[in-house]
Structure formats: structure tokens, C-alpha cells
Amino acid sequence: MLRSHRKTVLTAAALMATTALLTSCQDGDSGDGKASSTSNSSASDSGAKGTSGSDDKGSGGSEVQTDSTAGSKSGGKKVTGTWFGTVSYLAPGKYTVSDLKDTEQQFFTSTDTDIQGAGTICGDAAGQAATPCSEDELEAAAKDGVSATVELKDGVAVSVVEDHSGGDGADKTSGLWSGKLANLAPGKYSVVNDEGERAFVTSTETVINGAGLICGDREQIKQCTEDELEAAAENSVDVVVKVEHGIAVTIDENHN
């Protein structure tokens, strides 16, 4: 009887120990599962935050590129120099000047642009001097095309001066003449165009501006010497000459 009772007690004790061991293992598994779940959740959150940060940076990069592109578009090349040809209207304050080969140069006017007429823009063709004109008068004349010399600085017209050489009553020894330059003698030249030939002389005060043919280059206007002008005349360079009483005040290489 005692042996049987003892056996029963031992069996019960063993069963309790096994139960406790199983309970302990289950608790351990549950803890690992929670840890794994927490770790996965953290990793997921971290990944989401990382993706969000990457998107923000990408968006910032796109904005910088857009700004850069806009800056590039607004930084167009602005021209400086003197052009002679037909001035035509494009839009309010915007024009072109084109030569006989239809080579066009666009430009803008401003409130400071000096506009002078000689019968077409405004004024009298028989007058001895050009007449100051308004922007509206230039616009009206340019819609039909008007022959003029345009001086530009950074793409904006400093002056638009109508060709004065065609007036019958004009002073033939003064005016703004354009055409092929020819050398007649030291210090004496002529300008040849469809209307004929006009002679003039230079002086020590004559300003000679080159843009790649007389001297200098097309990127920057340079003041030239008399010797450089004489050499360029041998090649019949195109020029615009401002003459007063037979003496050249300025000689500008024609960009066209």
C-alpha cells in the first residue's frame, strides 16, 4: 500500500514538473514572437521614414533643377554694336533690323532710346537735321519697314536714326551714310552704296569702332586705329559713317 501510494505521488510530481516545463517554453516562445514582431514593426517604420526622406530629397532636387533651368532660359546673349538696314515691327517695344540679305537682328527699345526721323518715322526729308520722334511714330513706320541705323547696347537700342541720305534737300556733306568703305588717299575715304559714292575725310578726333573686320571681334566692340581702318578699306568692309561737314565723326563697322 505504501509502495503504491509512493508511486502515485512520484507520478504526480513528474506530471507537475513536465507541465511547468511546457509552460516555461510557451512563455519563452511568446516573448520571442513579441520581440520579433516589435523588431519587424520598427524596421517597417524605419523603412517608411527612410522612403519618405528620400522622396523629400528627390522633390528638393527637382525644384533646384527647375530653378536652374529657368535661370538658363533668362540668361540669353545680349548684343552690342551698330546695325544698318530695314527696321521692322515685331511687338510693342520689340523690333528687328535686317540687311539686304535678310539677316535679322532683334532688339528692344526703352524710354531712353533716341529715335530720330528724316521724313518717314517723323520730320521732314528736306530738313538739315534729323527730328526727334516718339515710340508710336517709330512703331507706325516700322510696320511698313524703315531704313535706319540702330545702335545697340546689351540688346536694347541706344538710338534708332532714320537714313537721312535720301533727302533731296539734305546737306550732302553731312549725314549718316552706310555702304562699302573705299580708300581714296591717306585720310580720305568714300562710302559706296546703291545711291552712289560719297567722299569724306578723317581727323584725329574720328572714332573708329571695329567688330571683327576693322579690328576687335564680334563679342566686344573695340576702338581701332587709322592704319587698321585703311587696311580694312582694301577689303571693302561695310560701315556706317556719321559725317559732319565732310569730316567723319564716327565710323562703325556694320555688323550685318
Side-chain angles (χ1 to χ4, degrees):
M1 184 71 178
L2 288 175
R3 290 179 64 185
S4 175
H5 177 72
R6 183 178 180 183
K7 183 176 180 180
T8 300
V9 171
L10 290 175
T11 299
L15 181 59
M16 291 177 65
T18 300
T19 301
L21 180 61
L22 289 173
T23 301
S24 175
C25 289
Q26 288 176 354
D27 291 340
D29 291 340
S30 176
D32 290 340
K34 290 179 180 179
S36 176
S37 175
T38 301
S39 176
N40 290 339
S41 176
S42 297
S44 177
D45 292 342
S46 175
K49 290 179 180 179
T51 302
S52 175
S54 175
D55 288 343
D56 289 342
K57 290 180 180 178
S59 174
S62 176
E63 290 174 3
V64 170
Q65 182 64 34
T66 300
D67 291 342
S68 174
T69 301
S72 176
K73 287 181 180 179
S74 63
K77 184 179 178 182
K78 298 178 180 179
V79 297
T80 297
T82 302
W83 279 260
F84 173 78
T86 301
V87 175
S88 300
Y89 172 81
L90 289 180
K94 186 176 182 180
Y95 301 82
T96 62
V97 55
S98 59
D99 61 10
L100 296 176
K101 298 179 181 179
D102 291 329
T103 302
E104 293 186 343
Q105 174 61 54
Q106 292 187 9
F107 66 91
F108 296 92
T109 54
S110 73
T111 55
D112 294 328
T113 300
D114 179 21
I115 304 170
Q116 299 182 30
T120 302
I121 300 177
C122 72
D124 183 0
Q128 296 296 310
T131 304
C133 307
S134 68
E135 174 77 25
D136 290 340
E137 288 171 324
L138 173 64
E139 181 176 315
K143 288 180 179 178
D144 294 324
V146 58
S147 180
T149 297
V150 182
E151 182 183 350
L152 303 181
K153 183 175 182 181
D154 297 331
V156 179
V158 175
S159 63
V160 178
V161 181
E162 183 182 336
D163 184 11
H164 195 273
S165 61
D168 293 335
D171 180 1
K172 297 302 183 181
T173 63
S174 298
L176 196 62
W177 306 338
S178 64
K180 299 288 186 180
L181 181 69
N183 181 238
L184 301 178
K188 185 176 182 179
Y189 302 84
S190 69
V191 172
V192 182
N193 56 30
D194 293 340
E195 297 178 357
E197 181 177 14
R198 290 204 174 105
F200 64 91
V201 296
T202 55
S203 72
T204 55
E205 297 181 354
T206 300
V207 177
I208 306 167
N209 296 314
L213 295 179
I214 301 176
C215 71
D217 56 59
R218 292 187 65 84
E219 300 299 324
Q220 184 175 3
I221 305 301
K222 180 181 177 182
Q223 191 164 329
C224 311
T225 65
E226 178 78 25
D227 289 340
E228 289 172 322
L229 176 67
E230 185 174 321
E234 298 298 326
N235 297 318
S236 300
V237 63
D238 281 311
V239 295
V240 178
V241 185
K242 182 179 180 181
V243 180
E244 290 184 0
H245 306 300
I247 302 174
V249 177
T250 59
I251 301 174
D252 293 307
E253 182 182 321
N254 193 349
H255 278 63
N256 292 328

